[in-house]
mmCIF file of all heavy atoms in Angstrom:
data_model
loop_
_atom_site.group_PDB
_atom_site.id
_atom_site.type_symbol
_atom_site.label_atom_id
_atom_site.label_comp_id
_atom_site.label_asym_id
_atom_site.label_seq_id
_atom_site.Cartn_x
_atom_site.Cartn_y
_atom_site.Cartn_z
ATOM 1 N N ILE A 37 63.504 -112.285 110.295
ATOM 2 C CA ILE A 37 62.205 -111.668 109.985
ATOM 3 C C ILE A 37 60.999 -112.503 110.282
ATOM 4 O O ILE A 37 60.952 -113.502 109.800
ATOM 5 C CB ILE A 37 62.153 -111.112 108.625
ATOM 6 C CG1 ILE A 37 63.293 -110.043 108.248
ATOM 7 C CG2 ILE A 37 60.805 -110.330 108.312
ATOM 8 C CD1 ILE A 37 63.255 -109.671 106.784
ATOM 9 N N GLU A 38 60.285 -112.028 111.292
ATOM 10 C CA GLU A 38 59.012 -112.695 111.766
ATOM 11 C C GLU A 38 57.759 -112.353 110.963
ATOM 12 O O GLU A 38 57.559 -111.098 110.939
ATOM 13 C CB GLU A 38 58.965 -112.687 113.212
ATOM 14 C CG GLU A 38 57.650 -113.404 113.819
ATOM 15 C CD GLU A 38 57.671 -113.186 115.302
ATOM 16 O OE1 GLU A 38 58.317 -112.411 115.931
ATOM 17 O OE2 GLU A 38 56.698 -113.849 115.897
ATOM 18 N N VAL A 39 57.113 -113.236 110.364
ATOM 19 C CA VAL A 39 55.875 -112.757 109.727
ATOM 20 C C VAL A 39 54.602 -113.553 110.316
ATOM 21 O O VAL A 39 54.689 -114.821 110.351
ATOM 22 C CB VAL A 39 55.875 -113.197 108.374
ATOM 23 C CG1 VAL A 39 54.631 -112.782 107.537
ATOM 24 C CG2 VAL A 39 57.036 -112.269 107.594
ATOM 25 N N GLN A 40 53.740 -112.820 110.780
ATOM 26 C CA GLN A 40 52.476 -113.504 111.305
ATOM 27 C C GLN A 40 51.310 -113.109 110.360
ATOM 28 O O GLN A 40 51.304 -112.034 109.957
ATOM 29 C CB GLN A 40 52.192 -113.018 112.766
ATOM 30 C CG GLN A 40 53.229 -113.337 113.815
ATOM 31 C CD GLN A 40 52.805 -112.864 115.138
ATOM 32 O OE1 GLN A 40 52.076 -111.851 115.288
ATOM 33 N NE2 GLN A 40 53.409 -113.436 116.134
ATOM 34 N N LEU A 72 48.890 -109.344 107.265
ATOM 35 C CA LEU A 72 50.263 -109.772 107.561
ATOM 36 C C LEU A 72 50.982 -108.728 108.531
ATOM 37 O O LEU A 72 50.769 -107.610 108.319
ATOM 38 C CB LEU A 72 51.078 -109.776 106.276
ATOM 39 C CG LEU A 72 50.742 -110.856 105.239
ATOM 40 C CD1 LEU A 72 51.663 -110.693 103.985
ATOM 41 C CD2 LEU A 72 50.783 -112.190 105.765
ATOM 42 N N THR A 73 51.660 -109.278 109.483
ATOM 43 C CA THR A 73 52.452 -108.569 110.447
ATOM 44 C C THR A 73 53.948 -108.849 110.343
ATOM 45 O O THR A 73 54.180 -110.179 110.719
ATOM 46 C CB THR A 73 52.049 -108.643 111.886
ATOM 47 O OG1 THR A 73 50.485 -108.204 112.032
ATOM 48 C CG2 THR A 73 52.749 -107.653 112.770
ATOM 49 N N ARG A 74 54.810 -107.949 109.976
ATOM 50 C CA ARG A 74 56.130 -108.193 109.780
ATOM 51 C C ARG A 74 57.032 -107.436 110.750
ATOM 52 O O ARG A 74 56.867 -106.351 110.965
ATOM 53 C CB ARG A 74 56.543 -107.657 108.305
ATOM 54 C CG ARG A 74 57.966 -107.822 107.878
ATOM 55 C CD ARG A 74 58.089 -107.354 106.517
ATOM 56 N NE ARG A 74 59.545 -107.486 106.175
ATOM 57 C CZ ARG A 74 60.276 -106.310 106.255
ATOM 58 N NH1 ARG A 74 59.861 -105.250 106.758
ATOM 59 N NH2 ARG A 74 61.647 -106.463 105.881
ATOM 60 N N THR A 75 57.832 -108.316 111.452
ATOM 61 C CA THR A 75 58.655 -107.667 112.544
ATOM 62 C C THR A 75 60.215 -108.260 112.207
ATOM 63 O O THR A 75 60.385 -109.264 112.065
ATOM 64 C CB THR A 75 58.102 -108.228 113.957
ATOM 65 O OG1 THR A 75 56.777 -107.847 114.052
ATOM 66 C CG2 THR A 75 59.100 -107.467 115.023
ATOM 67 N N VAL A 76 61.015 -107.132 112.293
ATOM 68 C CA VAL A 76 62.427 -107.477 112.165
ATOM 69 C C VAL A 76 63.069 -107.568 113.408
ATOM 70 O O VAL A 76 63.070 -106.669 114.274
ATOM 71 C CB VAL A 76 63.122 -106.429 111.210
ATOM 72 C CG1 VAL A 76 64.620 -106.739 111.082
ATOM 73 C CG2 VAL A 76 62.499 -106.142 109.843
ATOM 74 N N GLY A 161 62.380 -104.354 115.526
ATOM 75 C CA GLY A 161 61.784 -103.138 114.818
ATOM 76 C C GLY A 161 60.255 -103.058 115.153
ATOM 77 O O GLY A 161 59.747 -103.956 115.549
ATOM 78 N N LYS A 162 59.754 -101.985 114.699
ATOM 79 C CA LYS A 162 58.245 -101.707 114.832
ATOM 80 C C LYS A 162 57.591 -102.647 113.962
ATOM 81 O O LYS A 162 57.862 -102.763 112.794
ATOM 82 C CB LYS A 162 58.031 -100.296 114.647
ATOM 83 C CG LYS A 162 58.538 -99.246 115.612
ATOM 84 C CD LYS A 162 58.014 -97.946 115.268
ATOM 85 C CE LYS A 162 58.585 -96.872 116.387
ATOM 86 N NZ LYS A 162 58.054 -95.445 116.028
ATOM 87 N N PRO A 163 56.534 -103.387 114.527
ATOM 88 C CA PRO A 163 55.856 -104.201 113.543
ATOM 89 C C PRO A 163 55.119 -103.422 112.360
ATOM 90 O O PRO A 163 54.569 -102.287 112.613
ATOM 91 C CB PRO A 163 54.740 -104.805 114.541
ATOM 92 C CG PRO A 163 55.331 -104.670 115.986
ATOM 93 C CD PRO A 163 56.101 -103.387 115.823
ATOM 94 N N HIS A 164 55.255 -103.957 111.162
ATOM 95 C CA HIS A 164 54.679 -103.252 110.016
ATOM 96 C C HIS A 164 53.538 -104.211 109.573
ATOM 97 O O HIS A 164 53.655 -105.431 109.203
ATOM 98 C CB HIS A 164 55.775 -103.312 108.847
ATOM 99 C CG HIS A 164 55.264 -102.652 107.597
ATOM 100 N ND1 HIS A 164 54.872 -101.373 107.513
ATOM 101 C CD2 HIS A 164 55.128 -103.134 106.278
ATOM 102 C CE1 HIS A 164 54.465 -101.202 106.372
ATOM 103 N NE2 HIS A 164 54.585 -102.162 105.564
ATOM 104 N N GLN A 165 52.349 -103.583 109.513
ATOM 105 C CA GLN A 165 51.147 -104.385 109.182
ATOM 106 C C GLN A 165 50.677 -104.025 107.711
ATOM 107 O O GLN A 165 50.722 -102.896 107.312
ATOM 108 C CB GLN A 165 50.072 -104.000 110.195
ATOM 109 C CG GLN A 165 50.388 -104.430 111.648
ATOM 110 C CD GLN A 165 49.209 -104.224 112.668
ATOM 111 O OE1 GLN A 165 48.254 -103.350 112.323
ATOM 112 N NE2 GLN A 165 49.266 -104.905 113.633
ATOM 113 N N MET A 166 50.328 -105.097 107.151
ATOM 114 C CA MET A 166 49.748 -105.041 105.835
ATOM 115 C C MET A 166 48.298 -105.691 105.632
ATOM 116 O O MET A 166 48.248 -106.808 106.374
ATOM 117 C CB MET A 166 50.739 -105.517 104.804
ATOM 118 C CG MET A 166 52.006 -104.759 104.686
ATOM 119 S SD MET A 166 53.129 -105.558 103.462
ATOM 120 C CE MET A 166 53.548 -107.038 104.438
#
Side-chain angles (χ1 to χ4, degrees):
I37 299 177
E38 179 184 5
V39 177
Q40 297 179 335
L72 295 179
T73 302
R74 176 178 175 270
T75 305
V76 179
K162 293 182 179 180
H164 179 63
Q165 295 183 342
M166 296 177 289

